[in-house]
Amino acid sequence: MEENDNMNKNEIFRYTGDVSQVFYARPFTFDEGKARGMRGIEINNGSGLSFTVLPDRAMDIGLLSYKGVNFSYITKSGVTAPWYYDKRGLEWLNTFNGGFLTTCGLTQAGSPSFSDGEELGQHGDISTTQAENLCIDIDLDGEVPELIIKGSLRTGRLFGRNIWLHREYRIKYGENKIYMKDVVENRGDAMAPYMILYHYNLGYPLLDENIHYETNARYLRPRDTEAEKGVDWRTGFRKPEAGFKEQVFYYESVGDGCYAGIFNEKLDTGVRIFLNAGQLPNIIQWKNAGFGDYVMGIEPANCFPEGREKQKEYGLQFIDSLESKIQEITVEVY
């Protein structure tokens, strides 16, 4: 249907008995394993891009593929429901799905730490928060038909924080892009620490030794001595190696059109993640070529992944009472 890539509503009605013939957002429920009982939304944009939104996991993205080629990394735990989450220390790793996107925050991101009298686990709790006010809509009245997925997440406690994340995805028919807009809102009466990190996880077969990491962000430094060993090949990748230790590199976002992504020369396919440097000043590149832990993370953030207490040295952001902050990210497959 290449000749009909710009079909409007009337043309779709002429060609089809139901819109789902060409693109759709289809809700479902997982029925086995540790994902049993979780909600999912299967999305197909009509031109090869398909992915799954997980409303019970912060409305993050699980599997994502383009024309049958998988882009996402799924961890050894598999897709896991949020009720198995344990906030202590590194226990977050036991329920980390990976997936194409895992959101980290909202008052803690990165390594476990003890800060402001509070014990904080790895990457905070937002990724295991379940969406409410979920809405799936198909807008056929615009110039290009569009799928719209909306929902809200909250993290709060009695006598404590009351922070909401309102998420919206927009996917246009025939366009291989995902537009995401997050609005983080502090409904509490006190200023709160604000840390957010978008953990995009790229996996095989898009990710292999044929990829090239590309970005227009400014390279800053390796995170630690282990990462120093990989500075010379940070834009490439290698075959899986038993015992490989993760390497992390820091970048500074630049401008409104800042991006990072990978391109696979063999597959002639790539993905770029676009962001606004004023909203997300950092990009973290996470590399792990381990056996079964074969993943590259591209992580736009307003912090570094070293925990809240360490972030104070770099400059910890806050969100004031009744203040809202906006993040807009576009994922483009090309």
Side-chain angles (χ1 to χ4, degrees):
M1 290 183 60
E2 292 182 2
E3 68 275 14
N4 297 317
D5 280 349
N6 296 316
M7 292 178 81
N8 59 28
K9 176 174 67 175
N10 291 337
E11 289 171 326
I12 288 176
F13 291 162
R14 289 189 184 101
Y15 277 94
T16 72
D18 186 271
V19 175
S20 63
Q21 284 183 232
V22 290
F23 78 134
Y24 57 81
R26 180 180 295 150
F28 68 94
T29 302
F30 289 89
D31 195 37
E32 64 178 6
K34 286 191 172 182
R36 186 173 183 178
M38 273 180 55
R39 294 173 294 174
I41 305 171
E42 180 188 3
I43 295 171
N44 188 308
N45 80 329
S47 64
L49 180 65
S50 62
F51 60 98
T52 302
V53 171
L54 303 173
D56 291 329
R57 302 244 359 175
M59 293 184 68
D60 284 335
I61 298 175
L63 285 169
L64 180 145
S65 64
Y66 176 65
K67 293 186 176 179
V69 177
N70 173 64
F71 279 36
S72 49
Y73 171 71
I74 305 298
T75 70
K76 296 168 183 174
S77 68
V79 180
T80 304
W83 34 90
Y84 294 101
Y85 169 63
D86 185 338
K87 68 179 183 179
R88 297 172 298 177
L90 291 170
E91 294 300 307
W92 180 88
L93 295 174
N94 290 324
T95 52
F96 174 42
N97 300 319
F100 185 75
L101 169 62
T102 293
T103 306
C104 304
L106 294 169
T107 62
Q108 149 73 0
S111 303
S113 68
F114 188 85
S115 182
D116 305 314
E118 185 179 4
E119 184 178 354
L120 303 167
Q122 179 89 355
H123 280 321
D125 65 356
I126 196 63
S127 69
T128 54
T129 302
Q130 298 160 57
E132 49 195 286
N133 303 321
L134 187 66
C135 175
I136 303 172
D137 191 23
I138 299 179
D139 181 5
L140 296 176
D141 293 322
E143 184 176 342
V144 179
E146 191 172 36
L147 298 170
I148 304 168
I149 317 295
K150 293 182 180 181
S152 297
L153 314 156
R154 69 168 91 186
T155 175
R157 56 183 294 176
L158 182 66
F159 308 130
R161 65 183 180 274
N162 184 15
I163 303 176
W164 288 68
L165 188 157
H166 309 285
R167 175 162 291 179
E168 177 183 275
Y169 291 108
R170 289 181 175 265
I171 305 97
K172 296 181 180 181
Y173 168 67
E175 183 180 73
N176 293 316
K177 295 181 180 181
I178 303 170
Y179 300 93
M180 187 182 77
K181 180 178 180 180
D182 278 357
V183 179
V184 178
E185 177 188 18
N186 183 357
R187 295 185 178 179
D189 64 356
M191 184 171 63
Y194 175 51
M195 300 178 73
I196 192 163
L197 182 151
Y198 296 93
H199 214 295
Y200 288 93
N201 308 290
L202 307 178
Y204 181 84
L206 178 68
L207 179 72
D208 66 10
E209 62 274 18
N210 298 291
I211 68 99
H212 180 78
Y213 176 76
E214 49 184 26
T215 183
N216 60 0
R218 184 171 72 89
Y219 174 64
L220 294 176
R221 64 184 185 277
R223 181 180 65 178
D224 51 27
T225 54
E226 190 63 41
E228 287 177 1
K229 302 174 184 177
V231 168
D232 291 341
W233 69 284
R234 62 185 170 82
T235 60
F237 220 68
R238 58 182 64 174
K239 293 182 178 181
E241 298 178 7
F244 185 92
K245 294 182 180 179
E246 66 180 8
Q247 298 176 348
V248 178
F249 305 95
Y250 293 162
Y251 297 76
E252 179 184 25
S253 305
V254 179
D256 293 344
C258 190
Y259 70 86
I262 66 173
F263 186 79
N264 188 304
E265 299 286 350
K266 183 178 179 180
L267 297 176
D268 197 28
T269 301
V271 61
R272 285 181 175 176
I273 298 161
F274 290 86
L275 57 118
N276 184 317
Q279 299 169 352
L280 298 164
N282 306 318
I283 297 177
I284 296 93
Q285 180 194 15
W286 171 51
K287 298 180 68 176
N288 197 330
F291 203 94
D293 298 320
Y294 195 74
V295 56
M296 180 185 290
I298 295 174
E299 305 167 18
N302 73 342
C303 57
F304 293 111
E306 299 179 29
R308 187 201 296 174
E309 191 62 23
K310 183 66 175 180
Q311 185 62 33
K312 291 177 181 179
E313 300 177 16
Y314 300 123
L316 177 63
Q317 289 192 22
F318 290 85
I319 183 168
D320 209 349
S321 172
L322 305 183
E323 182 184 9
S324 296
K325 293 182 180 288
I326 296 174
Q327 280 77 234
E328 297 166 297
I329 296 178
T330 298
V331 173
E332 179 181 14
V333 174
Y334 70 102

